[in-house]
Each structure stands twice: as C-alpha cells, then as structure tokens.
C-alpha cells in the first residue's frame, strides 16, 4: 500500500532497499549490528552472548508482532511454542542424528503446525479469549516438557549439540542477526501484500472485515501458523546455541519478555521491537548480572516499563518515531529516514 | 424482479424475541425504508439477513437463491453490502486503505483492474470530505458514516443495507445524503435503509417496512404505510 511511486522511477540501490524492506537508516542499523562484535567493549565474549540473546528476543518480537500487532491477538503461549520447536529440534538431533540445521527447520515446521492448531481452535474466540486459550495451550506444552522426563529429562535439562563446533560466540551472533533480518523480511513482505490488509482489517474490526468480504478463518490460521513457525525456528537456534534446554524456556515470563519488547517497540510496526530489543535487553542483562542477588528484578522492571509505555505512549517507540522523527524538513535527512518513497 | 425475500424470519436472544416471524419482499430498484421505534429489532433484522447474527428460524432468499445462514463474507461476494449503525471501520487505517479492503476482498479477484483507482472513485462518489490519507480514528461520526458507505459500495453490491446513515446530520448534510442515496439507486443498486428521519424517508423511499417489538406491522408504498394508523400509533406510543 505504501509504495506510491512506481518502481521505474527509482535507481537500482533504492529499488533493492525497497525490495529488502529497508530504509537507508535501517540498512545502516543492520551494518552496525554486523560490525558490533569488532567494536570494544562489545568484542568481549560475554557481551556477545548478551547480544545474541538481544537478537533472539528481537526476532521473537517480530514474529510475535505479526499476530499481536496485525490481527490483535496476544499469543501468550509464544515462548512455549518456541520451546516446542526447540525440543523438537534437539530431540531430532539427539535421537535421530539429524544435522542441527535441518532439525531447526523441522522445529519450525512442527511449531508452525502447533500454530495451525492453536489458530483453528481459537477461531471462534475474540481478543482476550483467544489470548487465554493460547496461554493455556502454552502451559500444557510446558507441562508436557516438564513431565515427560523419559524424553526431555524434565527440569534436569537436555544437553543439545551446538550449531558451530567452536567456543567463539561470533558465528552464532552473525547467524542470529541474519535470522533476525530474514524473519523481519518475511513478515514485512507478508504484511505488504494484500494479506497484510486482511490481517489489519480482521484485527481492527471483525464485523466490518467480514462484511467487506474477508474470510477470517483463512487469514487467522495462516497468521498463527507463520508466527509460530518463526518461534519454532528461533527455539531451535536457542537450543543449539546454549547447548542446554530446560522447560523454563517455555515459561510465560519469557513470553512477557517478548511482549514487553514488542509493545515498547511499537505494536504493528515489526521493526520497533527489533530495534528496541538491543538496548533494552542489553541493559536488562547488565541489571541481571550486577544485581544477581535480586532474582526476578528484571521482570519487575519489564512490568514497570510496560505499564508506563501503555499508559503514556501506547503506540510505543515506532509511533514516537513516526510522528516526531520520520518527517524532518531537510531533504537528505528525509531520504535517509524514509528511502525513496 | 425480487431481490430479497424473507420468510418467517425470527431471531431470539435467549428469552427475548428480537425479530418475530417477519416476511417481506424487496424488488429490484426499490429504496425501501425500514422503520420502527428504538429497540424494535431493525438492526437485528438486517444482521440476520447479512449473516452477522444468523436467524433462529425462517429463511432468506437473495437474487432467487436460498442464502439463509450464509456467512457475511459469502453474502458480500454474492452482492450484498451493508453499513453499520455505529460506524467503526478500521480505526488505524487510512480512508483509502479502508475502502481498499472491500475493493480487494469484496470483488472476485481480477474483476477490479486498478484497486486504488476504484477505491478513490468510491470516496469521490460518497463525496468524502477529507483527504484519502486521513486515519479513520481521527474522523467524526458523520465523516465515518461516509467512509463506511464508500467501503460498502466498493464491493460493487447489487443490494445495499444502510443502518441509520443520516442520524445526527445537519439540514445541509441531509440534502447531501439524499442526493447520494439517489445516485446509488440510479446505479441500479436496490436499497434497504433503516432510518428515523421522516423527512429523508418521505423524500427517497418508494416503499416502507415497519416493525415494532420485532413484528412486522406494515409493508407497502411509502404514503400508505406512513398514513397507516398502526404505524402512527407505534411512533406516538
Ligand atoms: N446481541 C444481542 N444480544 C441480546 N440482545 C440483543 C442483541 N442485539 C440486540 N438485542 C436486543 O434486541 C432488541 C432489538 O435491538 P435492535 O438493535 O435490533 O433494535 P433497533 O430497532 O435497531 O433499535 P435502534 O433504533 O435503537 O437501533 C433490543 O431489545 C436489544 O436489546
Ligand atoms: Mg439499530
């Protein structure tokens, strides 16, 4: 909807940027992410680990926002679905000797299937009820992972082979950034197509959407499937990065972490959460490591920030950006922030 | 030609019978007014036909086919559009995007060559007073009703329901709406409109259907129904 200028008028660079759903400033941000491991103090291994976690939450928030920000359903089982993908992937590697790369993809597919099921059974439900259902679903999956000790070793944790046979965190970090970008691109291309219009319509007014000829079943189930498949792939990455998987990854508090980042970043923007995750989660990791005698403090901070944002700035960072930063007078700056549009 | 026909249509909400055994017919080219006191069941009646809230019993025939209990999206594709009493289109969408949804999803794919162009035409047609890039949540009720009408027209309906399109309008705006309704009718779209404003009803409707407590009390030519003692009594209480 937003490309009003026909693509013939654009030079190849702008065309490419547009295809990649990036603005010049977005591209710069991406380059910066790739350069970060070479810039002190971020070149230290423990900082890289934090950054990988930032990237993980960033990518999760993009997938989460596809559902929360577009069809207006909060999937409280998101972390559980992600963990389900992670366990699937880990178990395939451990028990069947599959390569972790293939297993990650398989984790994505099974998690997508899980999303399909959640999407189907929550179809008749609106907003908060669908959210509750996805939450219960998530709790059930987590319960299974905890209780099926013979398969998952329960709370003892599952040792999982890593994606790269190295002590360095750098390859994991680069992979994470690539994954983040690909996930962003996939979601953005979907919402740019006419499907995005259908998502927004059923998310904003179900009755008017249906009266306009939109079949909500198809779009809702599709949305859940894609969003959960993304969570599953990321769950696989998580499993094969940390090398240990416990049912904790499925906990609702993980979903809340993702939700907080997505909302603070700005619902329905896709990029807001991805951008905010890096400073925000990074600071949270610092807080967690320096105040390790106060476990749970990070959750308190999440809640506080979330409440403040919800009350004073419900549009989140992306809304702030769109209203106050995106439209400067200066032409060059304007191009830098918007691209050729 | 009969465009719409309901037979013994009934809608119950628990113990409350909101629509009771209503049979009516609407002919091609009709501009039929659906009148009745507040809470009579008018909105419930069109919701039951358009699929938003399917009837408890009875049947609906549209363009000669049985369409009882079809979903709203199916009814839309078959050529029925409707506006809402409380116009709340898509709050975060721009005017043009709002209309685009019905343009894209309300028509068979490929039928509309240029969706943006078509949507613009619809906004022009209803004389939408704002820029097409305005976000719906910034509009007032009167503007929203126009936008909702443009959205409803975008799927190229053959039959249009309008739910209190004119409530809250000033004298001047009433004349605009009258002209727009006549334009719609001229396009060959049959109309069933819920309305309270007698001035508008008398000016544009050729037939009236009056319901009270969910039951039909009169159906016929505008003058006849308007002068029917049962109808005047229903209104005066
Ligand atoms: N979803 C619902 N559940 C229960 N009762 C309902 C529902 N919708 C409408 N009703 C009831 O059905 C009756 C008819 O309501 P309806 O909205 O159809 O009236 P109306 O003729 O459109 O009135 P108005 O002129 O005020 O719009 C009312 O008593 C109303 O309270
Ligand atoms: Mg009503």
């Amino acid at each position: 909807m937003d490309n009003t200028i026909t693509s013939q008028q654009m030079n190849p660079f702008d065309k490419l940027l547009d295809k990649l759903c990036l603005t010049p400033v977005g591209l710069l941000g991406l380059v910066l992410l790739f350069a970060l491991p070479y810039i002190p103090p971020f070149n230290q291994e423990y900082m890289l680990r934090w950054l990988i976690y930032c990237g993980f939450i960033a990518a999760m928030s993009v997938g989460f926002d596809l559902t929360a920000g577009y069809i207006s359903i909060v999937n409280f089982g998101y972390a559980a679905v992600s963990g389900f993908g992670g366990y699937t992937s880990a178990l395939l590697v451990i028990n069947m000797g599959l390569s972790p790369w293939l297993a990650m993809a398989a984790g994505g597919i099974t998690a997508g299937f899980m999303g399909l099921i959640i999407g189907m059974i929550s179809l008749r439900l609106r907003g908060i009820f669908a959210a509750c259902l996805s939450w219960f679903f998530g709790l059930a999956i987590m319960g299974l992972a905890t209780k099926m000790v013979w398969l998952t070793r329960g709370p003892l944790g599952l040792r999982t082979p890593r994606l790269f046979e190295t002590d360095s965190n750098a390859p994991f970090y680069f992979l994470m950034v690539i994954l983040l970008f690909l996930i962003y691109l996939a979601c953005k291309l979907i919402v740019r197509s006419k499907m995005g219009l259908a998502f927004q319509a059923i998310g904003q007014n179900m009755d008017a959407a249906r009266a306009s000829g939109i079949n909500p079943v198809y779009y809702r189930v599709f949305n859940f499937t894609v969003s959960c498949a993304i969570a599953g792939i990321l769950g696989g990455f998580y499993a094969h990065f940390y090398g240990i998987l416990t049912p904790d990854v499925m906990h609702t508090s993980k979903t809340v972490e993702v939700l907080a980042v997505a909302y603070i970043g700005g619902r329905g923007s896709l990029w807001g959460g991805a951008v905010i995750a890096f400073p925000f989660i990074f600071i949270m990791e610092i807080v967690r490591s320096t105040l390790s005698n106060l476990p749970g403090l990070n959750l308190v901070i999440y809640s506080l920030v979330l409440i403040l944002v919800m009350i004073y700035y419900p549009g989140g960072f992306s809304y702030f950006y769109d209203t106050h930063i995106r439209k400067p007078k200066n032409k060059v700056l304007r191009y830098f922030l918007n691209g050729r549009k | 030609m009969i465009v719409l026909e309901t037979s013994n249509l009934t809608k119950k909400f628990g113990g409350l019978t909101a629509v009771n055994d209503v049979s009516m017919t609407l002919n091609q080219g009709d501009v039929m007014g659906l009148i009745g006191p507040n809470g009579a069941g008018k909105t419930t009646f069109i919701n039951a036909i358009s699929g938003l809230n399917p009837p408890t019993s009875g049947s609906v025939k549209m363009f000669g086919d049985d369409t009882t209990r079809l979903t709203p999206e199916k009814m839309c594709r078959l050529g029925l559009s409707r506006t809402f009493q409380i116009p709340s289109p898509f709050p975060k969408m721009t005017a043009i995007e709002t209309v685009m949804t019905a343009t894209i999803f309300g028509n068979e794919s490929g039928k509309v060559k240029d969706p943006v162009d078509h949507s613009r035409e619809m906004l022009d047609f209803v004389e939408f007073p704002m820029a097409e890039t305005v976000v719906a949540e910034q509009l007032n009720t009167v503007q929203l009703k126009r936008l909702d009408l443009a959205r409803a027209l975008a799927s190229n309906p053959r039959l249009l329901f309008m739910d209190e399109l004119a409530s809250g309008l000033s004298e001047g705006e009433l004349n605009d709406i009258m002209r727009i309704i006549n334009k719609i009718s001229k396009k060959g779209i049959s109309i069933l409109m819920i309305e309270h404003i007698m001035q508008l009803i008398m000016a544009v409707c050729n037939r009236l259907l009056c319901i009270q407590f969910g039951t039909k009390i009169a159906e016929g030519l505008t003058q006849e129904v308007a002068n029917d003692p049962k109808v005047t009594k229903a209104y005066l209480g």
Side-chain angles (χ1 to χ4, degrees):
Chain A
M1 259 13 68
D2 37 14
N3 23 359
T4 36
I5 295 177
T6 50
S7 40
Q8 292 108 6
Q9 290 162 274
M10 290 198 274
N11 70 38
F13 175 71
D14 290 326
K15 224 180 197 164
L16 180 71
L17 272 190
D18 187 55
K19 282 232 164 64
L20 295 176
C21 302
L22 285 172
T23 55
V25 66
L27 180 67
L28 185 74
L30 196 60
V31 170
L32 187 70
L33 281 186
F34 277 109
L36 217 49
Y38 305 103
I39 306 170
F42 302 107
N43 52 0
Q44 302 166 72
E45 289 295 333
Y46 78 98
M47 286 226 176
L48 262 186
R49 280 182 84 83
W50 288 356
L51 284 176
I52 291 169
Y53 188 60
C54 293
F56 173 76
I57 295 293
M60 286 283 279
S61 88
V62 175
F64 180 84
D65 195 33
L66 186 67
T67 304
Y70 284 84
I71 62 169
S72 306
I73 295 173
V74 178
N75 183 350
F76 272 110
Y78 203 60
V81 172
S82 172
F84 177 76
Y87 269 104
T88 307
S89 179
L91 290 170
L92 282 175
V93 175
I94 294 165
N95 298 334
M96 323 264 293
L98 210 63
S99 116
W101 295 90
L102 281 180
M104 247 168 86
I109 292 169
T110 47
F113 187 67
M114 193 63 88
L116 187 102
I117 294 172
I118 301 178
M120 299 272 243
I121 56 180
S122 68
L123 257 180
R124 299 242 153 261
L125 307 177
R126 291 190 181 195
I128 184 75
F129 301 104
C132 285
L133 189 131
S134 63
W135 184 36
F136 299 150
F137 212 88
L139 290 179
I141 306 175
M142 183 175 155
L144 282 181
T146 315
K147 297 292 177 211
M148 288 167 67
V149 178
W150 54 274
L151 187 66
T152 65
R153 293 181 16 104
L156 284 177
L158 200 60
R159 291 218 146 273
T160 49
R162 302 181 83 213
L163 280 166
F164 302 103
E165 307 286 336
T166 162
D167 288 335
S168 162
N169 288 303
F172 289 96
Y173 174 76
F174 291 123
L175 176 63
M176 188 63 246
V177 176
I178 291 169
L179 269 179
L180 170 61
F181 175 68
L182 289 180
I183 287 168
Y184 163 78
L185 184 63
C187 290
K188 193 78 187 173
L189 287 177
I190 289 173
V191 301
R192 256 195 196 185
S193 73
K194 66 176 201 174
M195 198 171 275
L197 202 57
F199 285 166
Q200 283 171 289
I202 63 176
Q204 292 175 27
N205 186 336
M206 182 65 94
D207 289 347
R210 299 187 72 187
S212 306
I214 298 172
N215 175 359
V217 176
Y218 171 74
Y219 292 102
R220 240 169 107 158
V221 172
F222 181 84
N223 183 298
F224 263 96
T225 307
V226 173
S227 157
C228 287
I230 289 170
I233 293 170
L234 290 168
F237 174 87
Y238 190 98
H240 302 297
F241 165 60
Y242 286 104
I244 180 121
L245 205 53
T246 60
D248 279 351
V249 298
M250 301 176 144
H251 201 273
T252 313
S253 65
K254 283 275 177 211
T255 305
V256 171
E257 211 169 329
V258 174
L259 178 148
V261 165
Y263 278 31
I264 295 167
R267 235 179 341 158
S269 71
L270 294 179
W271 62 266
V275 169
I276 283 297
F278 282 88
F280 188 67
I281 297 292
F282 197 80
I283 292 168
M284 297 309 293
E285 289 298 298
I286 295 175
V287 169
R288 186 148 66 178
S289 65
T290 46
L291 299 172
S292 51
N293 52 338
L294 291 172
L297 181 67
N298 57 328
L299 279 177
V300 176
I301 297 178
Y302 283 133
S303 323
L304 281 181
V305 176
L306 195 57
I307 290 168
L308 287 178
V309 168
M310 288 285 109
I311 293 176
Y312 294 105
Y313 227 89
F317 176 68
S318 69
Y319 182 75
F320 173 80
Y321 180 88
D322 285 344
T323 44
H324 296 297
I325 303 178
R326 202 192 268 281
K327 301 265 145 53
K329 291 269 181 302
N330 184 311
K331 263 213 168 113
V332 180
L333 202 57
R334 209 178 161 100
Y335 166 73
F336 181 62
L337 298 181
N338 294 281
R340 200 62 75 199
K341 279 242 190 77
Chain B
M1 198 186 96
I2 295 175
V3 168
L4 179 72
E5 192 175 3
T6 69
S7 312
N8 310 101
L9 207 68
T10 298
K11 175 72 194 183
K12 292 184 179 161
F13 293 111
L16 176 89
T17 307
V19 174
N20 191 6
D21 215 24
V22 175
S23 304
M24 53 81 76
T25 45
L26 189 115
N27 298 304
Q28 172 66 39
D30 270 353
V31 180
M32 185 185 242
L34 173 50
I35 60 172
N38 288 102
K42 304 180 295 293
T43 301
T44 308
F45 181 65
I46 65 166
N47 282 350
I49 298 170
S50 65
L52 211 57
N53 222 329
T56 314
S57 63
S59 66
V60 180
K61 231 174 164 183
M62 188 169 75
F63 311 127
D65 298 315
D66 184 21
T67 58
T68 318
R69 285 191 195 82
L70 290 187
T71 59
E73 56 270 24
K74 192 90 216 269
M75 292 299 272
C76 172
R77 290 295 183 96
L78 289 176
L80 169 67
S81 268
R82 52 127 356 131
T83 67
F84 291 87
Q85 180 168 2
I86 302 163
S88 48
F90 314 115
K92 305 274 178 216
M93 283 193 203
T94 61
I96 190 83
E97 284 170 343
T98 305
V99 183
M100 290 275 279
T101 52
T103 302
I104 292 175
F105 298 99
N107 292 293
E108 296 302 325
S109 57
K111 207 175 134 218
V112 177
K113 291 282 166 305
D114 187 341
V116 182
D117 231 40
H118 178 80
S119 305
R120 278 200 187 119
E121 261 172 47
M122 294 301 126
L123 287 172
D124 286 344
F125 186 87
V126 302
E127 297 163 27
F128 184 64
M130 310 287 282
E132 64 175 41
T133 49
V134 68
V135 177
E137 64 186 352
Q138 287 163 359
L139 298 173
N140 65 32
T141 317
V142 175
Q143 295 159 342
L144 277 178
K145 291 210 163 179
R146 288 284 175 92
L147 181 57
D148 203 27
L149 182 61
R151 180 197 57 71
L153 289 170
S155 56
N156 292 313
R158 289 193 280 156
L159 172 60
L160 176 66
F161 292 171
M162 300 189 286
D163 198 345
E164 298 195 20
L165 193 66
S167 61
L169 293 190
S170 69
E171 193 72 22
E173 290 164 333
L174 212 54
N175 284 325
D176 294 341
I177 272 297
M178 249 176 234
R179 201 181 54 248
I180 293 168
I181 293 174
N182 283 327
K183 274 202 295 183
I184 298 173
S185 183
K186 283 225 182 64
K187 279 175 83 158
I189 300 171
S190 311
I191 296 173
L192 176 65
M193 52 188 275
I194 298 176
E195 199 48 82
H196 285 297
I197 301 173
M198 266 313 180
Q199 186 193 349
L200 178 63
I201 294 167
M202 300 311 281
V204 299
C205 299
N206 66 324
R207 295 179 71 232
L208 291 184
L209 168 69
C210 180
I211 60 177
Q212 184 188 18
F213 303 124
T215 311
K216 176 170 105 174
I217 58 172
E219 180 184 2
L221 295 176
T222 303
Q223 279 302 334
E224 289 168 14
V225 174
N227 295 328
D228 190 324
K230 275 183 294 184
V231 175
T232 36
K233 190 154 166 278
Y235 266 92
L236 298 176

